[in-house]
Amino acid sequence: MNVITDAICPFCGSLCDDLTIKVENNKITDIQRACVLGHNKIAGVTDHARIEAPLVRKDGELVETTYEDAIERAAEILVNSKRALSYGWSSTSCEAVSKAIELAEETGSVIDSCANVCHGPTTLAVHEKGSPAASLGQVKNRADLVIFWGCNPVHAHPRHMSRYSMYAKGFFTKKGRKGRHIAVVDVRETDTAKIADTYVQVDPGCDFMLLQAIRSAINDNEDVIPEIVGGVPKETILELATMMKEARFSCVFYGMGTTQTRSKYKNGDAVSSLLYDLNQYSKSVMIPMRGHYNVTGFGQVCNWETGYPNAVDFTRKFAYYNPGETGASDTLLRGDVDAALVAAADPGSHFAQEAVKCLAKIPLIQIDPYHNPTTELADIVIPAAVVGVEAEGTAYRMDSIPLRMKKFIDTDFKSDEQIVTDILEKVRELKRGA
Amino acid sequence: MSELIIKNAAVCDPLNGINCEKMDIAVKDGKIVESVSSNADTIDAKGKLTMAGAIDGHTHCAGKINVGRLMSPHDMRMNPVNGLSGLQPATSVTRAQAGYNTPNTFALGYRYSKLGYTTLSEAAISMMAAKHTHEEFESIPILDKWGLTLFGNNWQVMNYVRDEEPEKLAAYLAWGLRATRGFGIKVVNPGGGEAWGWGKNVTSIDDEVPDFDVTPREILVELAKANEDLNLPHSIHVHCNNLGKPGNYETTLDTMKIMEGIKAARDRQVLHLAHLQFHAYAGNSWREFESASTQLADYINTKDHLTFDMGQVIFGPAMTMTADGPLEYSNARMLHSKWSNKDVELEDGAGVVPIVYSPKSFVNSVQWAIGLELALLVDDPWKVMFTTDSPNGGSFVNYPEAYSLLMSAKKREQIIETLPELAIDRMVLPGIDRELSFYELAVMTRALQSKMFSVDTIGHLGIGANADIAIYDIIPDKIDAGIEHEKVKQALSATSYTIKSGNLVVQDGEIVSSPRGKTYWVNASGRVPSEINEVTLKDIQNNFRKYYTVAMSNYVVDDHYLPNPIEINTQEA
Amino acid sequence: MQKVTLTLREKNRIPIVADSITPDNFAGLSDRDIEQIPVWHGNSQVFLGDIFEVVVDGSDTAENVVIEINGDVSRIKRIGQGMTAGEIIINGNVDMHCGCTMSGGKITVNGHADNWIGCDMRGGEIEVNGNAKYYVGSGYRGDTTGMTGGKITINGNVLDFLAEHMSGGEIHVKGDAGLLLGLANNGGTIIVDGDATMAAGEMKKGLIVIKGTVHEMLPVYREDGTEEFNGETYRKFTGDVNIRGKGTLLIK
Ligand SMILES: [Zn+2]
């Protein structure tokens, strides 16, 4: 029996790294300390519907083929495209991301990550205002005020609260939950809100207004705040502001409730501006609650390799970046790509119907361990090892701390990194031949 | 194996006492050798200026720079320096390039190579994010790299300093260098980073660090002593308290003075002061702001225990990035600009803020002058390392601009004339007519680094050195750099040839091949007695168990991240 | 006077980047010359002659060049980018970045315009006789100065983020505007005849006039009496108070 300690959970952006995994005869027999989401993902490697073999669509049906054949066909599609979209890459390793970027550059494609439909607006906000952030351990060791804004860790990031935020005990926070005030701002009373000390209900789409009002309160401009802003009474707004000013160390964790509602990235921008002023009085930082375990890593790698964090268009051989134009959903909604490569993602179920229609019309290559609705649209399906379980590689936690994911069991499936490397080699071969 | 002979080179190699002498250089298997066979490839240098590959001893090229990139997508299209900035398409040998102050990794590699650089010292590895730095190192083509690990606000360091446990302190430093695969000890605003955990700062070397009962003075001295106990190749590398504040030169002098008694373990300085320009300000307010370069240079001219780098300012947009968190917040408030911050648990912080240095601003103009003043007022070039603290004072692609300023009093005069009168009153540059020679420039850009970092295989062209060579389109005895400064600048902006480990990487200013570089790291664990190591490890484990949010085993950078390592073992030295 | 008529041969789906379509580039060129100008169609290079039927009448300098474009160019980007003089008339819908960074001359769109029309504009004039989408007259990602001069008139409606980071010039929208117009205005003048939502955040200086209804007034402005504008009386607000802004917001 093989016991793997300090194993890293490849599920959410919390990237918990304290799991113990027991393996017998190349089977995972025990998973300790994982939350239910992480447990399901790791155990699911054998339970869920894996894509058993490479597939290619013939006469409307997906039929089995070899890796070699699937990779060659994928390369042909990419070489022949005028503007392909490479999308996903958020539940895979940084090493695979790096190769995917090289492939996009080589084929003059657009590449984007799942951030396009979750925290992409977060990076747009950083372009505007920067990001006053900290590692999660700063929150654990110092924070006496934690605000969850538009996020619900009880369900989406279950161990976040015990490891980093709500209950964590650290050097200056020996009392843990007792010494820490928890506030939740959300449109509905989530399970996180139910265990918070303060719950502020904001009207849907009014986060921006509320943030502006708090900023006015912080800056002693109370007089410009009307009696109610976004459904929140002025009195509550002033209380929130006072709470933030009087804290020794506060952190705003913000989720898709702020990034994917009305005003989108301007909400993150407004949090940043608020903290820019607040830090004159009291230490305060913000950390995005990233969903996919390595969506942060995609942003990091893409940023250092291309200069931009996502949505990079290589059609003109240099890196061109303009979300709103070069994002995955932008291109699919306009239908202005003629092929797609989707890896470790499921746009078939997460994108708007118009975008899915476009995907259905164009040649689509899928790289994924599992069947999902995107498989139904795909013309070539290449099965992959599950990164963080069957393949190792680097991932970045939501606070941009890098960790090396381990491999627990062996597999015959190729890793994402290997598949992309093979496609890239084939593409170069085809281009040389042409 | 591969052989190369460079004929008719005008070699400028200060470590070997060679001053622009015409000679041949033989290269075999990536090293400089006595002679090669008649089958060797030949480059005819035609009397051109030939130096060892340059070494940037203080640059921000990996890690934090990514925060800068994220804040400035508009920087990617900026193209003020032709051929060395902006968006450039991929070619058959190069990847796509972007940026000016915060270029992508590929552009960093290609553009440094075009300037004749072959080695980079990243100024700050954040311990907990060290893998990130190494991932970027691997992505930067051609050049060799190393990084200095941040220790100046580390809880375990401060605890050992307070508890007077020098042996454990040394053991922890050795562990930390190994865990992060770092090259040396970087100290940034000692104590100030911890204070910033609560939104505060320290303002002198004798302020107490909140909750830790130590002072910056104690941290500095104990780290310097431990550095020598470990026999590290580099001295401690210090970014002083009070960076960027009027009147801060006194803190800088204090920091230099407290190191006078430290005994060097090697033939080098015991203190390196980073980007001294930012620490050389007199006056009690911005209104009174003036240069203190004379005060600092007078002291440095009488002492031999320290080196410094310039931190030269280049007019135009730049991106400040430092582990000095509180400084960056005050920068952002003062400049009304974007602000990024990144505190790291138990260790340090970081901030990133964009800036524009304007020749119309009196403060910026004086800053521009101070860097040059320091380099020119300190008599011995072996104490002065050339830097812009890239991209803090300006992007490295502007180095040739700064070289030509050092080499031409006339060029300086032409610029000074255009600056605000108030600024001219507050600087001493107009009275300085010293002009650096190519020999002195070679000291400040290569030879000094070899000594400062105790790496005897780089920074010179003697037998056995790495074949890292830069050949510039200048005939040294046929040019008057004082007059023909524009020509000098152009020639130093793109080599005729850059050779890296014996491979031709740049020819006529264009990248012709892109091999991978190596990463240096320092293993000092052999200097730590095993019983000390054991008790220290217990303390480290305790910190991980109680306070860190990652496991110790996941924190350490493993071999995977250094596919081409060069390990320097300090016991052997 | 030089008249250049471009007639689209076939509507494209994959975008074409045609930043070379400017009076500056066409001045003095024959139809043959213009047909040979390369443009990007996706990742391949084609020539203007492949995309358009090109007819040239006369030969002159840029300020006397008129380019008329016929057909649906809603997938042709960057028409008129960086132009300094002359005129472009587009008889149809036009794709993104039309007239961006232009510093002189005039562009008329007889149809709808896509995102980023007039972005980073320095001078000259743009008139759209239809609607425009997002980021009219704004800046590029990360930049803190957008449009600095010139005039944009949109005779229809616009979507969100009108005039972000504007720091000079004038924009007049005759219909409604979307969310968050005039963010971080630093000296521009914006007039909206219709309605707007959450207008004028982080204004440092400049003037924003909303003649219709302002939905959700941002709590960052201090009311400061009334002011006359073009013969009408408005409530005057000053802000954004959180950045000690001196901007003027006039609403009914
Ligand atoms: Zn530095």
Side-chain angles (χ1 to χ4, degrees), chain B residues 58 60 123 186 275 321 389 392:
Chain B
H58 185 113
H60 298 263
K186 177 78 182 294
H275 35 72
M321 51 186 70
D389 190 15
N392 282 279

Side-chain angles (χ1 to χ4, degrees), chain A residues 77-263:
Chain A
I77 289 173
L78 294 172
V79 167
N80 292 328
S81 69
K82 267 199 167 67
R83 191 174 189 241
L85 169 67
S86 170
Y87 171 76
W89 311 110
S90 301
S91 296
T92 188
S93 68
C94 290
E95 290 79 359
V97 169
S98 172
K99 281 286 163 198
I101 291 165
E102 195 172 351
L103 177 64
E105 187 186 292
E106 185 70 53
T107 53
S109 306
V110 178
I111 184 163
D112 197 9
S113 77
C114 301
N116 189 246
V117 290
C118 58
H119 269 279
T122 302
T123 57
L124 292 181
V126 181
H127 301 338
E128 291 292 320
K129 296 286 163 60
S131 74
S135 76
L136 288 165
Q138 286 292 80
V139 181
K140 163 177 162 159
N141 286 295
R142 295 181 198 268
D144 55 353
L145 171 63
V146 171
I147 300 174
F148 294 104
W149 196 305
C151 56
N152 186 10
V154 167
H155 292 292
H157 300 83
R159 296 187 70 217
H160 187 279
M161 294 173 294
S162 58
R163 281 175 59 80
Y164 314 124
S165 53
M166 195 180 287
Y167 306 107
K169 291 180 183 168
F171 190 78
F172 299 106
T173 51
K174 299 220 160 59
K175 288 193 200 138
R177 175 71 181 88
K178 284 203 194 82
R180 197 176 272 132
H181 194 92
I182 306 292
V184 168
V185 183
D186 215 315
V187 293
R188 61 194 173 85
E189 194 174 3
T190 60
D191 286 339
T192 307
K194 283 179 190 139
I195 53 173
D197 303 303
T198 300
Y199 166 55
V200 176
Q201 184 160 26
V202 58
D203 287 346
C206 290
D207 306 81
F208 187 82
M209 293 284 287
L210 180 57
L211 285 161
Q212 295 296 330
I214 299 172
R215 194 180 181 197
S216 289
I218 296 274
N219 290 316
D220 298 326
N221 290 315
E222 288 173 34
D223 61 306
V224 305
I225 306 171
E227 283 316 306
I228 286 189
V229 178
V232 182
K234 181 170 180 175
E235 197 188 322
T236 308
I237 292 164
L238 297 180
E239 275 167 24
L240 265 175
T242 306
M243 195 189 288
M244 293 175 95
K245 261 180 155 169
E246 287 176 355
R248 278 193 89 196
F249 186 110
S250 61
C251 179
V252 180
F253 289 102
Y254 59 108
M256 280 166 61
T258 60
T259 63
Q260 291 294 335
T261 56
R262 199 173 62 135
S263 323

